[in-house]
Amino acid sequence: MFSNLYRKITHFLLLLGVGFSMILVSCNDFLDVESKRIAKEDQQWSTLEDTRAALMGVYGLMRAALVENNAYWICGDLRGGDFSVTDRLDLQAVVDNNLNEPFPIMKEISNWRRFYAVINAASIFIEKAPGTFEKDKSYSEENLMLDIAQARVLRAFAYFNMVRIWGDVPLVTYSYDNGSFPRMERTDASLVLSYAKEELENALTVLPFQLGSKTSLYYGKEGKDWQGILLNKLSVYAILAHIAAWEGNYLNAETYAAYIMDNASRVEAKYIGVADLTSSQGLFLTNSDWRVSRIVGLTFDHNESEASQNGHLEELTLAAPLVQKSTPDIYVSKDSLFSIFNNVDDQRFGIDSKSGKYYTSYVHNVESQYPIFSKIKVIQNGNPTTNDYAIFGSALVFSRLEDITLLRAEALCAINQPEQALVHLNTIRTARGMSAVSYKKDFNSDKSKVIQAVFEERRKELMGEGWRWYDRIRQEKLLNNDTKLRKLINEGGIYWPIDQDILTNSMIEQNTYWQ
């Protein structure tokens, strides 16, 4: 469950004398959460330790906003994706796009309160942290600027995720920690994203490739110690690249992606092999050597009591013998596996030419009724022998170099450079054991087929990482060949409904599709 996570965040905030209920955004009719202060203003924001605790608290809230109730994977992988459901009616309703069914999980995911908790906490930090700089001489101006830049990025990142889920959302640019929240209508999604981009571009001027160095530590650690844990310059570029692609601004998306690829070595990010991608000690383990390749990620550190049962894909996908659970909640069927991974040389799911057996990098026990999707399987602290209790410590990986490379290929197709796009598609194909493809020979010089191939590669490479639903939307906007999905896009059905608790006593109106 999330008890450890929330206890840790609460502890951070109590160090500030700022009650957790206050950080969860105080308001009257907007979020319906009462504001409570447990300390006076002059008891808060006094020391460098206060700001460190507050900043880590914002990170914790961002992580909780994305993964609570496994929302990140339910929204991104289950809806319109490749996973099937065993026997949970609430998850089946997501697959069937019946998002207004009266299941508790639908209500929780449809409530954007968790994201406004992030936004408000970040705004409070931006407004209050300069006061600490005035009070504590050990809190340098450089430290202050780095902290505020990260808070801005987290606030922008929250808005981007909200726009992908709900479309238009209220744009709140400063804190409401005084016990009230004005009645506000939703802001056009394009304006919200413009604000997010402005915040990210502001942070770019401040954030370095690595936070801290041997001669100038950041909160007592060198830059390499923060890699894959806190956000840096390349993290910002990655978020900007995805915002640009979501908007259809592929010229910018290609520019941002190219910058990341050209500068990946400055944060030691590398392409990762299948073995390390799928190992319990690999990319998804918080403190693995591969954490430097998480360009944007949020961590669950087992050693810091952040591991949990809820908030991980493994809760939905794993079953015996990996954990003590008879069947998974969701799985990729054999028919889907053979259809998606249609190249026998694919090391993610193919056939080993020497042994004649299936590669099991992504799937365990493929011959069973419910093949276990085991690409991500960080149980406890990545130790597969300690599986008596389903406590997971996998990091949420939003972006890595493979994602950015394929996003660049997508962008190059969109701006009429399909042959150059194939260079980057082939980078991923050959790394996964498959042969390179040619524009004239394999695609008959047809750009649309290259676009299709790029998205099929994203489908394989990023399976289980929260991308399939959003990729399908971008793909349809480029190809316009899925009548059902096009209808959803035109009618606003790609977004989630808004929880009734938000609609009550407010100026917020339900998404038209769900009225």
Side-chain angles (χ1 to χ4, degrees):
M1 301 299 290
F2 263 80
S3 57
N4 285 335
L5 172 60
Y6 279 114
R7 185 163 57 250
K8 182 169 286 293
I9 296 173
T10 303
H11 174 67
F12 283 146
L13 301 176
L14 287 175
L15 287 175
L16 294 175
V18 182
F20 187 49
S21 59
M22 191 271 289
I23 283 291
L24 281 181
V25 188
S26 48
C27 61
N28 291 334
D29 54 27
F30 184 66
L31 298 180
D32 203 24
V33 176
E34 183 182 358
S35 173
K36 297 180 180 178
R37 291 179 176 274
I38 63 172
K40 297 179 180 178
E41 286 289 338
D42 58 5
Q43 294 176 304
Q44 303 165 17
W45 307 96
S46 299
T47 68
L48 178 145
E49 288 75 18
D50 290 346
T51 56
R52 183 186 189 279
L55 183 60
M56 297 305 128
V58 182
Y59 272 98
L61 288 170
M62 183 73 253
R63 179 177 59 197
L66 288 170
V67 307
E68 186 177 5
N69 296 297
N70 298 309
Y72 187 75
W73 298 278
I74 289 174
C75 292
D77 283 308
L78 187 60
R79 187 184 185 192
D82 297 314
F83 286 89
S84 299
V85 178
T86 51
D87 56 10
R88 281 186 56 176
L89 295 179
D90 54 352
L91 297 183
Q92 187 60 49
V94 176
V95 173
D96 297 336
N97 204 42
N98 295 327
L99 305 183
N100 51 0
E101 290 290 317
F103 293 109
I105 198 169
M106 301 297 198
K107 179 177 177 61
E108 294 297 329
I109 294 177
S110 296
N111 194 318
W112 58 39
R113 179 181 307 178
R114 62 193 188 275
F115 284 103
Y116 281 103
V118 180
I119 291 163
N120 196 57
S123 297
I124 291 172
F125 188 95
I126 292 165
E127 295 164 14
K128 300 293 186 182
T132 306
F133 171 69
E134 299 295 330
K135 296 176 183 177
D136 187 346
K137 300 304 179 184
S138 65
Y139 189 41
S140 68
E141 184 176 6
E142 179 186 15
N143 205 152
L144 171 66
M145 292 176 65
L146 291 174
D147 289 354
I148 288 178
Q150 290 173 78
R152 288 185 183 278
V153 175
L154 289 165
R155 184 165 63 181
F157 190 41
Y159 273 124
F160 174 49
N161 280 280
M162 290 179 72
V163 166
R164 292 198 305 174
I165 297 170
W166 290 284
D168 301 343
V169 296
L171 178 61
V172 187
T173 60
Y174 49 92
S175 72
Y176 286 88
D177 60 340
N178 59 358
S180 65
F181 199 107
R183 294 168 63 86
M184 295 182 67
E185 297 180 343
R186 297 161 73 183
T187 306
D188 187 274
S190 63
L191 296 178
V192 176
L193 290 181
S194 292
Y195 172 76
K197 289 184 292 184
E198 182 180 337
E199 290 287 277
L200 293 166
E201 289 163 0
N202 181 292
L204 274 181
T205 64
V206 177
L207 286 178
F209 289 101
Q210 291 194 345
L211 290 162
S213 63
K214 290 183 178 180
T215 57
S216 179
L217 300 179
Y218 178 69
Y219 285 121
K221 294 183 179 182
E222 296 180 28
K224 64 180 181 179
D225 297 320
W226 293 118
Q227 290 300 106
I229 296 174
L230 300 185
L231 299 166
N232 57 37
K233 186 182 291 291
L234 283 198
S235 307
V236 179
Y237 273 107
I239 299 170
L240 280 168
H242 274 291
I243 290 177
W246 186 255
E247 293 180 313
N249 186 346
Y250 280 107
L251 188 61
N252 280 357
E254 197 280 328
T255 300
Y256 294 138
Y259 184 90
I260 294 167
M261 294 172 66
D262 290 344
N263 291 277
S265 62
R266 301 182 70 168
V267 299
E268 301 180 48
K270 300 176 183 177
Y271 292 106
I272 185 169
V274 174
D276 289 308
L277 174 65
T278 59
S279 168
S280 60
Q281 298 284 330
L283 177 73
F284 294 96
L285 177 66
T286 288
N287 289 316
S288 78
D289 292 339
W290 281 101
R291 70 179 185 274
V292 295
S293 291
R294 297 194 295 257
I295 296 174
V296 180
L298 295 167
T299 60
F300 284 80
D301 191 340
H302 178 83
N303 295 322
E304 295 292 332
S305 300
E306 293 173 350
S308 60
Q309 289 178 308
N310 182 260
H312 302 270
L313 180 68
E314 298 98 312
E315 181 190 2
L316 301 175
T317 56
L318 296 190
L322 300 178
V323 296
Q324 291 188 351
K325 184 178 180 180
S326 58
T327 58
D329 291 324
I330 63 176
Y331 66 101
V332 184
S333 71
K334 285 180 284 188
D335 287 345
S336 293
L337 286 168
F338 294 133
S339 173
I340 296 166
F341 296 92
N342 53 8
N343 188 314
V344 295
D345 296 323
D346 195 326
Q347 296 170 1
R348 293 163 298 197
F349 184 78
I351 298 177
D352 188 326
S353 59
K354 294 182 179 179
S355 67
K357 296 181 179 180
Y358 287 109
Y359 290 113
T360 57
S361 302
Y362 272 29
V363 181
H364 182 84
N365 202 7
V366 67
E367 298 297 341
S368 68
Q369 181 182 6
Y370 304 121
I372 299 171
F373 183 75
S374 55
K375 172 185 173 182
I376 304 172
K377 47 182 178 293
V378 182
I379 306 167
Q380 299 283 19
N381 195 28
N383 185 348
T385 65
T386 57
N387 65 347
D388 289 343
Y389 301 97
I391 304 297
F392 307 112
S394 56
L396 184 154
V397 178
F398 176 83
S399 185
R400 52 187 172 94
L401 200 52
E402 290 81 1
D403 158 57
I404 294 299
T405 300
L406 291 171
L407 187 69
R408 187 178 184 186
E410 173 189 339
L412 285 165
C413 283
I415 60 176
N416 257 338
Q417 297 183 44
E419 290 187 82
Q420 187 62 31
L422 282 180
V423 173
H424 304 297
L425 173 62
N426 284 329
T427 295
I428 306 302
R429 283 181 58 88
T430 55
R432 299 301 179 237
M434 297 177 288
S435 60
V437 288
S438 164
Y439 188 47
K440 294 181 179 179
K441 177 182 177 181
D442 298 288
F443 297 100
N444 298 319
S445 301
D446 187 337
K447 184 181 75 171
S448 66
K449 292 182 179 179
V450 179
I451 294 174
Q452 184 73 30
V454 169
F455 278 103
E456 285 302 311
E457 194 59 35
R458 285 185 64 85
R459 184 183 191 182
K460 300 169 189 176
E461 179 64 24
L462 302 175
M463 182 177 282
E465 297 182 42
W467 281 110
R468 183 60 182 154
W469 175 243
Y470 307 113
D471 283 358
R472 284 192 61 203
I473 293 168
R474 295 201 315 278
Q475 179 179 344
E476 175 56 22
K477 289 180 178 179
L478 287 172
L479 294 180
N480 194 22
N481 61 0
D482 185 328
T483 303
K484 185 177 179 180
L485 183 54
R486 172 58 59 174
K487 187 173 186 292
L488 279 180
I489 292 172
N490 292 340
E491 296 178 357
I494 60 173
Y495 302 117
W496 276 69
I498 302 168
D499 179 48
Q500 188 60 41
D501 286 353
I502 301 297
L503 302 176
T504 303
N505 299 322
S506 76
M507 297 175 67
I508 306 298
E509 294 184 359
Q510 182 63 273
N511 276 320
T512 304
Y513 185 85
W514 299 106
Q515 289 178 356

